[in-house]
Amino acid sequence: MSSARAPIGVIGTGYVGLVTAAGFAELGSEVWCVDIDAEKIARLRAGEVPIYEPGLEELLAKNAERLHFSTDLADALAHARLLFVAVGTPPTYSGDADLSAVNAVIEAMPASDEHALIMKSTVPSGTGVAVKRMFDEQDKGGLAYVSCPEFLKEGSAIKDFMHPDRVVVGDVGDWAGDAVVELYKPLDAPLVRTDIASAEMVKLASNAFLATKISFINEIANVCEETGADVVEVARGMGLDDRIGPKFLQAGIGFGGSCFPKDVDALKQLAGNSGYHFQLLTSVIEVNELQKRRVIGKLQKHLSGLVGKRIALFGLAFKPNTDDMREASSLVLSARLNADGAIVAAYDPVAEEQARSLVSGISFAASPMEAARDADAVVLVTEWDEFLELDWKDVAETMSGNLVIDGRNALDADAVRAAGLVYEGVGRGGQRSIAKSGAQA
Ligand code: UGA
């Protein structure tokens, strides 16, 4: 890679910050990472990566010489003109995005004609305009501002950074926008260069649309359960239409994570604050909340009540390949099972540590088989590969009951049934008969 690539600063060393830092270091930039969390910075300096993200540790190690970690913003300012902001924007009680960490960065910036803030954190549309106003009020009008939203998915973040579907750059047509476009050039991705408010909205609208797609297919799944259709076949048939596409049509027990629930809420609030009631998103959120709870109804139906019943949860993280437990469906599920008097044992290959601080009243197993021991029912919550490769005859032997609820439609239903177990997925009413004739898939 060319050594002439612009150095950058990255403020905030969470998922987005670390992946951005590792990615741009890989493309040849010197990267100055800043975080107010001194312990985190000390760990990063020692080569420890505080989050689980496949490939991240290796990429940081490979580019260690170009990566610098500090708690002092001055270090980044001294070396880089472009400062990527990747701090948290968690939801407030009102559902609006909490911008206090973003505001703290703006406060900390000195007056300068040389520097630009590049916003990676997901912020409400309109934030850029407000930031520019704050710069003016604080006599920092020379600072440039660019919106450059991030579209990476946890679990495949490095791949998403290196091969983005698009790069979105929202700016006022100044040097900073040009510099960000230049930085992304080696990735050869379609570029959407636009105004700041539109770039901010692209991010929120994309997440809200994907979440809508999931709630939509979940409702179709629920109708399939009533009518005898199989939602997997329905999604396959729908997805072949180019205008619909096959992705994000996997029915299950609801979406979670640090982004969809927060961003859907934030967009709904943003609209509401401007006097517009975003009715569709209200339903997307409600459908998702109900979806997390539908497993309880299925367990109750099959087990005739839950008091004293042993339930094994396979997976806890909000999706596979991450230890992230934020808004995971397992949080609602385990709390409801507890409240209904069930005895819950859970196993997750990496999220146990995170889960222990969030979930109470359940036990943690060291393997799927340990979780399933004497269980009346097994519920697949997160579709880790480890669960897809299980020998269901072994699972059946260790269980005392025979019920398997596949919350992600990810298991081989025939293999589960062949082990003498009762299989129930999400929206798989006609699954049995179609499986027989559907080999042409
Ligand atoms: C999401 C977006 O996909 C990214 O583009 C975006 O950059 C990111 O949010 C963000 O704003 O930072 P992420 O939260 O990592 O990424 O996870 P996804 O893979 O999108 O999955 C979100 C949830 O939807 C998971 O709970 C997953 O199990 C669920 N899901 C996903 C379904 O239930 N069905 C599907 O078909 C797809």
Side-chain angles (χ1 to χ4, degrees):
M1 288 296 159
S2 149
S3 56
R5 288 186 55 76
I8 62 161
V10 175
I11 306 170
T13 56
Y15 278 99
V16 172
L18 281 179
V19 172
T20 304
F24 279 125
E26 171 74 3
L27 294 176
S29 288
E30 291 285 322
V31 182
W32 302 81
C33 300
V34 183
D35 201 298
I36 50 169
D37 184 338
E39 193 195 321
K40 212 175 187 187
I41 290 296
R43 286 179 69 184
L44 285 161
R45 276 188 178 149
E48 268 180 60
V49 181
I51 52 171
Y52 177 84
E53 179 63 38
L56 180 59
E57 195 167 347
E58 292 81 349
L59 203 64
L60 288 169
K62 183 178 166 208
N63 294 289
E65 276 184 12
R66 278 196 281 270
L67 287 157
H68 316 274
F69 298 98
S70 170
T71 51
D72 192 352
L73 181 62
D75 285 337
L77 288 166
H79 293 95
R81 297 185 72 191
L82 303 174
L83 300 165
F84 285 82
V85 181
V87 295
T89 51
T92 58
Y93 281 117
S94 63
D96 295 284
D98 175 356
L99 296 180
S100 53
V102 169
N103 290 339
V105 173
I106 293 161
E107 288 283 334
M109 287 297 287
S112 160
D113 293 340
E114 297 291 313
H115 292 94
L117 284 187
I118 321 297
M119 190 57 68
K120 277 265 161 226
S121 303
T122 302
V123 293
S125 185
T127 300
V129 172
V131 171
K132 295 282 270 177
R133 201 170 45 236
M134 284 167 81
F135 282 162
D136 287 338
E137 282 164 10
Q138 296 172 18
D139 290 326
K140 300 173 185 171
L143 284 167
Y145 184 89
V146 178
S147 166
C148 182
E150 184 52 65
F151 300 97
L152 59 82
K153 300 182 287 300
E154 290 181 23
S156 59
I158 303 290
K159 185 179 138 276
D160 294 339
F161 180 91
M162 290 297 177
H163 306 282
D165 289 343
R166 76 295 209 189
V167 169
V168 177
V169 176
D171 70 310
V172 293
D174 58 8
W175 68 271
D178 292 345
V180 174
V181 169
E182 195 58 35
L183 266 182
Y184 276 99
K185 249 193 192 143
L187 298 181
D188 204 20
L191 172 70
V192 180
R193 190 158 182 188
T194 182
D195 61 279
I196 294 172
S198 301
E200 292 165 341
M201 189 57 98
V202 170
K203 168 69 189 193
L204 286 176
S206 298
N207 272 2
F209 184 77
L210 291 170
T212 303
K213 223 176 159 185
I214 298 170
S215 275
F216 180 84
I217 200 67
N218 280 338
E219 287 220 283
I220 294 291
N222 299 342
V223 177
C224 285
E225 287 180 0
E226 300 302 321
T227 60
D230 178 359
V231 74
V232 173
E233 294 299 305
V234 175
R236 187 163 66 100
M238 287 170 63
L240 287 168
D241 184 328
D242 262 357
R243 296 167 300 173
I244 299 173
K247 294 180 182 164
F248 282 68
L249 282 182
Q250 264 171 271
I253 52 173
F255 57 78
S258 64
C259 304
F260 283 176
K262 164 180 83 88
D263 292 350
V264 174
D265 232 12
L267 180 51
K268 186 189 138 188
Q269 286 306 325
L270 177 69
N273 297 345
S274 345
Y276 180 72
H277 176 54
F278 205 143
Q279 203 164 342
L280 184 59
L281 292 186
T282 306
S283 301
V284 169
I285 295 164
E286 192 182 339
V287 167
N288 197 50
E289 284 312 310
L290 294 173
Q291 200 67 16
K292 294 178 192 172
R293 290 163 169 79
R294 279 180 71 88
V295 172
I296 302 290
K298 289 179 181 176
L299 287 168
Q300 272 165 342
K301 180 185 79 184
H302 284 278
L303 302 177
S304 321
L306 286 170
V307 179
K309 299 285 162 47
R310 292 183 177 274
I311 312 294
L313 299 184
F314 280 8
L316 292 165
F318 85 95
K319 67 173 190 179
N321 299 319
T322 177
D323 62 351
D324 202 333
M325 284 293 297
R326 283 176 286 180
E327 301 289 330
S329 297
S330 63
L331 295 172
V332 171
L333 195 55
S334 53
R336 287 288 299 114
L337 286 169
N338 249 327
D340 282 1
I343 302 159
V344 182
Y347 167 75
D348 188 286
V350 300
E352 181 182 329
E353 197 187 319
Q354 309 285 339
R356 277 187 185 276
S357 59
L358 295 168
V359 183
S360 57
I362 72 169
S363 64
F364 293 91
S367 69
M369 297 308 269
E370 190 185 316
R373 191 169 303 142
D374 297 327
D376 293 289
V378 164
V379 181
L380 181 83
V381 179
T382 316
E383 65 276 35
W384 287 95
D385 282 348
E386 184 174 347
F387 301 129
L388 313 190
E389 289 154 10
L390 281 171
D391 184 334
W392 287 93
K393 292 209 172 79
D394 293 345
V395 179
E397 263 172 40
T398 200
M399 290 174 70
S400 67
N402 64 355
L403 177 62
V404 175
I405 306 260
D406 181 358
R408 298 291 177 183
N409 287 346
L411 301 175
D412 177 347
D414 289 340
V416 173
R417 289 201 185 97
L421 295 164
V422 173
Y423 173 90
E424 174 141 0
V426 179
R428 312 214 59 191
Q431 198 250 333
R432 230 183 271 222
S433 51
I434 287 172
K436 278 186 203 130
S437 62
Q440 62 272 46

